[in-house]
Amino acid sequence: MSLIDGLARLEAVSTGRAQPRATARHRHLSQRPLVLVPLTTAGEAGAPLGALVGTERTSPRLLVVPQPRDRDLRFAFLSELAEIVLPYVDSFAGDVEAAERSETDPETSKRVKVEVELCADAPQLIVPSRAGIEFVRLLGRSMRFRRTAEQDPDAPYPAPPRVPLLGRWLTHFGERARVPGSSLLLAMTELLSRHWATGQSSLEDQHLGALLAWIEAPEGTSGAEAAFRAELARDEAGQLLCPPAGPATDPAFDNTLLAPAMERYDRARSALAAAEDGVAADVGLAALTAAEQEIHALIDSRTRPTWDAVWRGLDALCTLPVAAHDADRWTRDRWSFTGHRDRVVAGEPPQPRVDDAVTAANKLATREREQSRLEAQEALDDPLVMAGRRLAGEAFAGEVTEVVMAYSEAKSPRPRPLVTVRTDDRPHLGERTKVYRALGGKPQTAEFVAYEGEGVVVLRLTDKMGRGKEPDPGSVPEKGDRICWTLFEHEQRGGPKLPDPEETPWTHGGPPAETAERPDPVTAEDTL
Amino acid sequence: MQLAPPAGGAFDPGAEAARATEAILHDTLHGTHRGVVVDSPPGAGKSTLVVRAARELAAAGRPLMVIAQTNAQVDDLVLRLAEKDPKLPVGRLHSSDPDPYDKALDDLPNVRKSTKAGDLAGLDVVISTAAKWAHVKVDQLDAPWGHAIVDEAYQMRSDALLAVAGLFERALFVGDPGQLDPFSIVGAEQWAGLAYDPSASAVTTLLAHNPELPQHRLPVSWRLPASAAPLVSGAFYPYTPFRSGTDHGDRALRFAVASDGSAADRVIDEAAEAGWGLLELPARNTPRTDPEAVGALARVVRRLLDRGGAATSERGPGPAPLTADRIAVGTAHRDQAAAVRAALADLGVRDVTVDTANRLQGREYDVTVVLHPLSGRPDATAFHLETGRLCVLTSRHRHACIVVCRAGVDTLLDDHPSTEPVQLGVTVKFPDGWEANHAVLARLAEHRVRWSG
Amino acid sequence: MPAPPRRRTALRQRLAELRGPDVPARPLDARALAALAANPGCSRRSLLDGAGVDKTVLAQSLGAPSGFGQSQFAFMRGNAFEARVKADGGAELLRLTHRFLGGGPEPVPGGSAVPDLAAAGPEGRAARTALALREATASDGWTLLDHPMLALDVAGTPAFLEPDAVVVHPDGGWTVVEIKSFPMIDGSADAAKVGAAARQSAVYALALEQVAARIEPAPEIHHHVLLVCPKDFSNLPTASAIDVRKQLSVTRRQLARLTRVEDIAAELPEGTTFDVRRPAAELTAAVEAVPAAYAPECLSACELAFHCRARAREQGEVTALGRSIRGELGGLTSIDDVLSAASGATGDPDDPAVATLRRAAELRAEALAGEAAACH
């Protein structure tokens, strides 16, 4: 934790309320996000228990798996989820704008511009917590290799029609969420803790109810107490007043409420199956419906508070002004969405289980670049973030006290004015360290020349002054200007192009085998 | 030079090292494998090996590319090559940034410099950084290079090797496995356990895919004195031991000015005598730039210079003065280095290298003064326990290493929680930071001088 | 170094007093022993664990019950999976052991020994296990020891440990098998859970060492343990060999350090007891008499964490907000001291920690004031 963030936490303790960590909203929020509050069955991998899902705050859809150990019921849940998520995703696929992308011409190997479609907006999934993101990935992995009866008439236990496609999309959302600054899939706890510091630890911040309690605490009340209640308070039956945001459920809920309800459900199902006449069947059906309703009510009661919390979190976030670079980052999300849309349309196979060497290296390079970009953009968009960078010696702000014109020693001398800046910051400047300032949205570079006494920095401007001998008007700071210089670059250079996967070198195992991914084996017995 | 034979048989470091080098060159020039890996502990003659291998390949009519990790390393190799063989045609491929290479290269008539690999075609040896090589496309060359030498291969990331491996047929990989591992600024757990994990070191990936490649080890450190090699070898290279090329008594560090009895002078004398010195300050939690520790450290450096030190070694016939450029200060963090620089400037000390472990990798001095990474900390972290960091800091010296530290680091280590996650399929790395730190501390404790302010 | 016998007896007596008259020591299981490494700097935890105090009950008596519990779904799944792995005389388990760790020819289903380890009491079972291990080592086939019982000396008292299984290979080597119900998906698993399993397995390997030391020649205990988990989204087993050398040395270290409970106990006022039948106020005082080193990580590792957290918060300890926050605060450890130094009210401006704090507070205020201005 940086000192300045630590200080914000301490202030939160002493004031009893969350303190800002940002003065702008650094993650994109869609006008129409899809909120998903999933629950999972304890001890099982990929056995959903239920979910609240939807784009309308007041009317979420409740999906329930009354017996998660039954493959048909799980399939029914996934099928229903697909019927909600896929139309939502599709609703962004059609509205496109023309855009340019540079591609390598396969014949000339030259970079050429090609006109392509770019979706005008993209879908956005919001889950309550980081564990929710993991669960989205897990669901995606569990579905994308499934085969439907249509794809493969001989497939045993075929998945419902749209389930594999949902798996591919959830996989895409889950993978994109690993890219710093991306907003296709967001966790509310991470969104909130990016923008506010609470008086508790970051571990405790992973509890959405507690985190929100600190942020929502009205003036004069104690966020600490509210958070404590959210975290631990139980009713007389021993149930948490604020259920965990999931997907894991509270063991006390499982043991005292859910397990007996499931048992009743199982019994009712057996009774119905064993019914020998119409009357018995009617009675059995009624009992089954009642048991099912009971489980529905239980799942609703555990997801509804979280559903509300996610929307209240969105309310809180919407009080912050949008960061200036938000659109830039969201455009990259739109590219990501458009690209996956195109792969699906082109009939490409689902994402492989494990990345090949080249894909892995490309992803790592992208994420590192996006991380640097995000850090730079957040600082440039937000004085509070910049304050942290200044404290760390990675930026400095100060007033220009003198500008002396100077020129390079080249044949045709170029302007290289010396700018003296007085600052209270303590940047880590070494010999010829490059520094940057924003000039009309573009970075201008200078290099460190010398200290002229305590807090007096002399810089030499080196670019963005036009083509002539005299600098363009406005391109050189003037005495009295207050400027923030950064030691980090504002824009990220692209990395080198890696070989195509089929040209993976011997050092990395050579080209990957060309075998298509096979579906997960399925057995007659539902071996969950 | 006389060496006492170790128990169990005579050890002739020169002969051992020569044998290892011959075997390496044989595999490189005449072997059938596409790769050869050489582990080189601190000061074992890695650069000498690289220069020699490059020259022999060139002499055999096999042009080669050399891949290093930083521009400084590239320039250093070019200078060494030119020093050994001024007539050898060498290409220095560089970036288009301002001042992309050391100006000293301009004085070398047979070194051609260019930003384009095409301009350097036909030269015996072409050298650049991995980052620059990554932008060279194999179809811009007539054919891939027959040979490459990859220097500091353990500090190169797997993905960087992926970007350049198409440029050569076969390669000699040389590096020090004990120094700092490469890192990534974002999580890469997703690929942990994969043979080609892009965040792993280039050598890890190479050997995971090609386990049959010959692996060699340079067995002798010519830098580390006899007082240091056993400790550094035992603590940081537990399964691949090495020896010092010199024996006790082969080197000496003496001072013209006698000790004034201060703690700084006493720890200097202890280190001059024993090779190690621990200047211990009272236990206290401090910020990273602990003024007292920084002040004590600066004081030690000042006294090192003031007392007219002279270093005698196998390198020359007589003692060489211990000048500022033969002394370095090592820290864990940049702000600590900055604080030390400021404190040294206040004492009028200039030209002493002060840097973080990352930047001291591969460099060598007569005396190093180190601010212990855990000094004054309330707790240990993975960063501070990383063995590579301590290994770099305690293996840069030819004569003596003085460590400045607050008392209580042993308790700090004992109180450190061990709850590391474990990734399936990832080879466990040794040594363990905890064990290595304790080993170093135990040795330093034998040479402790308490700072009295 | 183990304490001399007389001091050991005295220590045992002292620890018994601390538990309270007639309260049996809560036996430490492998999970508890592995958890010793979770916060070795905490004297409170060391003493309570060393004395065999039941921390779950103690926490309840203190009014801050631990939040640990297990869902019966997870419990049932765990049991069903383990049964499946060990079905058919452990054929599948032995096949996996052979595949990942070798140590002899491929086991033939039905051709492996699964000795009966039943005996009266933990001592009896441990003796039976030791005998079975000896016999299995002498034989040249595969042997599966299902739920063996191992004794491990912990600060002078034997702890009885029950690993899921131990396999003796035809070559005489021993392997600890840990069966967990979290999945391995496409060859990877939750690293935190694998880490916990590795630490737990290391405790078993250590206990096995004590058995092996009494056999001549001492059999080899593999420093790889076999972790068996469900594959992908099924209930079918898959496995991975985990190198536990680091965990072994950590556990050895922590067990050796347990002897310091004697020093901690010696510091306590006369008559201190953690007997949960005593009134809450008295218990609280007794617990407070032993210094704790609370950090948020305790919440998932120690039954007493909620109590210690409440205390740490009351006392305004900065570490209640996370260990990492202390890194740059130097000697300042309380929230009030830090805020007061940051505001300029107290603190030595020449102390770089204080100077940096003040600078941080100024920069924060400046940035927030700018924001306020922009709002108008």
Side-chain angles (χ1 to χ4, degrees), chain A residues 478-492:
Chain A
E478 288 174 19
K479 192 174 168 190
D481 286 357
R482 244 193 96 75
I483 295 175
C484 187
W485 305 85
T486 70
L487 279 69
F488 52 86
E489 294 191 47
H490 296 189
E491 290 172 359
Q492 304 306 311

Side-chain angles (χ1 to χ4, degrees), chain C residues 222-246:
Chain C
H222 290 167
H223 59 240
H224 279 88
V225 301
L226 189 74
L227 176 64
V228 182
C229 293
K231 180 173 164 46
D232 299 338
F233 303 96
S234 75
N235 201 0
L236 308 169
T238 185
S240 184
I242 316 268
D243 185 338
V244 295
R245 276 177 291 174
K246 284 195 178 186

Side-chain angles (χ1 to χ4, degrees), chain A residues 85-216:
Chain A
V85 176
L86 291 178
Y88 171 72
V89 168
D90 284 343
S91 70
F92 294 90
D95 185 8
V96 294
E97 57 192 43
E100 275 188 342
R101 189 167 64 198
S102 35
E103 276 178 9
T104 309
D105 185 315
E107 287 184 5
T108 61
S109 303
K110 290 230 171 72
R111 299 291 280 174
V112 289
K113 295 260 186 221
V114 280
E115 185 145 310
V116 289
E117 284 183 356
L118 171 62
C119 293
D121 199 1
Q124 179 174 61
L125 256 62
I126 298 182
V127 292
S129 63
R130 203 181 306 164
I133 292 186
E134 276 306 323
F135 192 67
V136 167
R137 272 187 207 121
L138 196 71
L139 283 180
R141 167 62 185 82
S142 76
M143 287 186 279
R144 71 179 189 265
F145 301 114
R146 295 271 184 196
R147 309 287 288 168
T148 63
E150 194 187 340
Q151 287 170 310
D152 179 1
D154 299 329
Y157 311 99
R162 306 251 281 165
V163 163
L165 183 60
L166 177 64
R168 297 176 62 177
W169 273 110
L170 293 190
T171 300
H172 184 73
F173 280 102
E175 214 37 25
R176 181 70 192 167
R178 291 185 155 121
V179 177
S182 70
S183 298
L184 286 190
L185 168 61
L186 293 168
M188 185 47 70
T189 47
E190 304 209 321
L191 276 171
L192 293 175
S193 49
R194 171 66 198 88
H195 296 88
W196 284 277
T198 65
Q200 60 188 7
S201 70
S202 57
L203 280 173
E204 289 151 321
D205 278 351
Q206 288 174 34
H207 189 295
L208 178 58
L211 173 60
L212 202 57
W214 279 99
I215 293 168
E216 288 183 331

Side-chain angles (χ1 to χ4, degrees), chain B residues 23-50:
Chain B
I24 293 162
L25 291 172
H26 180 269
D27 278 344
T28 305
L29 278 110
H30 311 294
T32 53
H33 292 286
R34 295 190 76 174
V36 177
V37 176
V38 179
D39 285 7
S40 170
K46 185 168 59 62
S47 301
T48 312
L49 174 72
V50 169

Side-chain angles (χ1 to χ4, degrees), chain B residues 194-215:
Chain B
L194 292 180
Y196 46 72
D197 175 355
S199 68
S201 99
V203 182
T204 305
T205 290
L206 175 78
L207 290 176
H209 286 291
N210 304 275
E212 74 290 353
L213 296 185
Q215 294 176 57

Side-chain angles (χ1 to χ4, degrees), chain C residues 134-194:
Chain C
R134 188 185 292 262
E135 286 169 1
T137 310
S139 87
D140 52 7
W142 291 91
T143 307
L144 169 66
L145 280 79
D146 185 1
H147 284 284
M149 183 64 83
L150 303 168
L152 179 69
D153 181 88
V154 177
T157 322
F160 289 97
L161 310 169
E162 193 179 337
D164 290 331
V166 170
V167 170
V168 180
H169 300 242
D171 69 1
W174 300 358
T175 296
V176 173
V177 176
E178 187 66 31
I179 302 169
K180 293 286 182 197
S181 60
F182 57 82
M184 286 184 190
I185 297 174
D186 302 332
S188 63
D190 184 322
K193 288 179 178 161
V194 177

Side-chain angles (χ1 to χ4, degrees), chain B residues 84-131:
Chain B
K84 277 277 174 199
D85 187 351
K87 294 206 170 62
L88 185 71
V90 173
R92 165 60 161 114
L93 180 64
H94 60 81
S95 72
S96 42
D97 291 341
D99 302 314
Y101 59 84
D102 190 337
K103 287 274 177 282
L105 267 51
D106 288 334
D107 302 331
L108 304 172
N110 284 310
V111 173
R112 196 188 300 166
K113 287 127 336 206
S114 175
T115 59
K116 293 195 184 72
D119 295 348
L120 305 173
L123 297 180
D124 284 5
V125 184
V126 181
I127 310 188
S128 193
T129 58

